[in-house]
Amino acid sequence: MNTNSNGGDQNVDKAGNVDDEDATEVIAAVPPTGWWAVLRKLASDEGYYKQAAEELGTKAVFTFKNTWDDVPTWTSGKADIAQFGALEASRIGPRREIPITVFGKFVPLNFGPMVKTGGKYDPKKTGGVKQSIDKIVNDNAKFGIGSWGGADATAYDVAMAENFNYRFKEDGGDFSVVTAGYFTMGKQVADGKLAVGSSGEGMGAAPQMMNGDIKPLFWLKDLVSKAVFGQENKWGFPTMQNLVTRTEFYENNKKAIQVYYQAQEKALQKLRKDPLSVITRSKDYVETMGAGSEEEAKFIVNYGINLEGTDSLPAPKHPAIYDTTAMSDQYVQTQSDFLNKVAQKGLTEKNWGDYVQHVQF
């Protein structure tokens, strides 16, 4: 069911001191569409990579591999920087024996299992979210995810195990999981091709959410936090995408990593100041967001950033993007506490701390 035409794309573009032969070369593997893609595009278009390099007194050229295969591209050594969550890092590091440095945060885990509104898995029909999950498992109904390497797949295992006593695993799990294109998920649920699809307003499901055709059973950024900590926190955990690099690369290229971080932060602050004007500044930006029209782009901003609900969708509790790339002491501590608690429950590697470090700028 992999209908995502962008699934294997590795379109390449560059930013920074692109004509300088003395510049440090850095390859970043990044998803091609979504909030993260908009921020990367904004940083490039505004010249933030070059500006940050000048401020830090260094030179760097960044080559971007725009691909949904960003995690395997990075783990195979074909990229220096990637964007995946610390929860994924806590598994990848020990299992691949790769020391990983987390140097920023990008977006919280803005995914939810979407079901058809009024359909047989709608909690209003089943009696509640747990009843819907039970029915999905009992019916062996198709549950769509973008890939097993995605942050949502890892987090579903935590959420399902802690809340509903089910495992969400590629082998030996309780759900009938299929892979589908991230940005086709909403339509496939609305059309009945999938019983459940992991998606969100910024992941191509905006048209179906706007029309009231689909709804989330829950948001991972809410449920995972509550499951592990027993209460919600401001942003929810885990983070869907952190800025990560190999620790060896960081140690040898600290200034280049800081350039990347500062450029992302500048782009994020510009976006947070007036997200609607950024997302709708051109057709190219609307498409980079993954929206099919300016109307969809406005819904994505108003629902995901301004936290405005609709007649059929309650307003979300947490925004779809962070207010800063910086990782505060509290953030690092909460993230580490989260990973420790998850490890205690056998849902990630207990020795994750030997492989994952957080560096704050």
Side-chain angles (χ1 to χ4, degrees):
M1 292 186 68
N2 194 344
T3 58
N4 185 357
S5 61
N6 292 327
D9 284 359
Q10 287 204 349
N11 299 318
V12 174
D13 57 353
K14 295 178 182 290
N17 307 89
V18 294
D19 298 321
D20 196 321
E21 294 182 357
D22 295 329
T24 301
E25 295 184 8
V26 184
I27 300 173
V30 295
T33 315
W35 285 113
W36 39 88
V38 169
L39 286 169
R40 198 233 15 103
K41 177 176 174 56
L42 184 62
S44 294
D45 290 351
E46 296 294 321
Y48 290 155
Y49 296 100
K50 189 173 182 179
Q51 289 177 28
E54 290 174 352
E55 290 173 8
L56 291 165
T58 189
K59 298 176 181 179
V61 55
F62 296 94
T63 299
F64 298 96
K65 292 186 175 183
N66 302 303
T67 172
W68 286 115
D69 294 328
D70 52 320
V71 176
T73 297
W74 184 85
T75 55
S76 65
K78 296 177 181 178
D80 306 306
I81 291 174
Q83 297 167 195
F84 54 83
L87 177 58
E88 292 172 272
S90 72
R91 294 182 174 187
I92 292 172
R95 293 175 184 177
R96 298 292 188 95
E97 296 188 342
I98 302 174
I100 297 172
T101 293
V102 179
F103 63 96
K105 64 184 192 294
F106 227 33
V107 291
L109 195 65
N110 200 44
F111 276 96
M114 299 289 169
V115 296
K116 193 168 185 175
T117 304
K120 61 180 179 178
Y121 302 113
D122 187 330
K124 288 188 176 180
K125 287 289 187 72
T126 63
V129 173
K130 183 181 185 306
Q131 290 87 338
S132 291
I133 297 297
D134 288 341
K135 186 169 179 56
I136 290 165
V137 172
N138 292 334
D139 290 353
N140 202 33
K142 290 181 179 178
F143 194 127
I145 60 172
S147 77
W148 282 105
D152 55 332
T154 308
Y156 278 124
D157 193 21
V158 177
M160 296 299 182
E162 290 302 296
N163 289 276
F164 310 111
N165 201 30
Y166 293 122
R167 293 303 305 269
F168 197 92
K169 299 193 301 181
E170 188 170 5
D171 298 314
D174 296 298
F175 293 85
S176 178
V177 181
V178 296
T179 56
Y182 277 114
F183 281 78
T184 69
M185 210 78 71
K187 187 175 188 305
Q188 291 195 56
V189 172
D191 291 346
K193 295 179 181 179
L194 290 172
V196 192
S198 181
S199 193
E201 77 282 351
M203 295 296 293
Q208 294 76 34
M209 294 174 71
M210 288 169 61
N211 295 335
D213 297 331
I214 65 175
K215 63 196 295 187
L217 287 176
F218 55 79
W219 289 111
L220 276 170
K221 58 187 175 183
D222 299 332
L223 192 62
V224 172
S225 172
K226 190 173 182 180
V228 175
F229 290 106
Q231 61 184 5
E232 295 179 6
N233 56 55
K234 181 178 179 181
W235 289 105
F237 277 86
T239 300
M240 183 169 78
Q241 288 190 345
N242 286 101
L243 303 179
V244 302
T245 186
R246 282 174 170 76
T247 298
E248 181 181 7
F249 187 85
Y250 168 74
E251 294 293 341
N252 293 328
N253 302 277
K254 289 184 179 180
K255 279 198 173 182
I257 292 297
Q258 192 168 355
V259 168
Y260 192 91
Y261 165 85
Q262 286 190 192
Q264 301 303 310
E265 175 65 1
K266 286 182 178 181
L268 178 58
Q269 293 311 314
K270 187 175 181 65
L271 178 63
R272 291 287 307 194
K273 187 175 181 180
D274 192 353
L276 194 57
S277 68
V278 170
I279 298 301
T280 60
R281 68 192 294 182
S282 70
K283 182 180 178 182
D284 199 15
Y285 272 80
V286 170
E287 291 177 350
T288 300
M289 184 65 242
S293 66
E294 189 170 309
E295 182 183 11
E296 288 179 24
K298 290 179 178 178
F299 169 79
I300 290 169
V301 170
N302 289 330
Y303 182 81
I305 305 300
N306 299 329
L307 305 183
E308 297 177 6
T310 70
D311 290 341
S312 59
L313 287 172
K317 297 178 181 179
H318 305 301
I321 56 175
Y322 286 113
D323 53 4
T324 179
T325 313
M327 300 185 299
S328 66
D329 290 343
Q330 182 181 4
Y331 173 88
V332 173
Q333 186 61 57
T334 305
Q335 186 89 309
S336 298
D337 289 345
F338 169 79
L339 294 176
N340 285 331
K341 288 179 181 294
V342 170
Q344 289 171 10
K345 297 174 184 297
L347 299 175
T348 194
E349 303 301 321
K350 291 183 178 180
N351 63 335
W352 70 267
D354 296 335
Y355 289 89
V356 181
Q357 70 170 359
H358 292 79
V359 171
Q360 298 163 270
F361 291 120

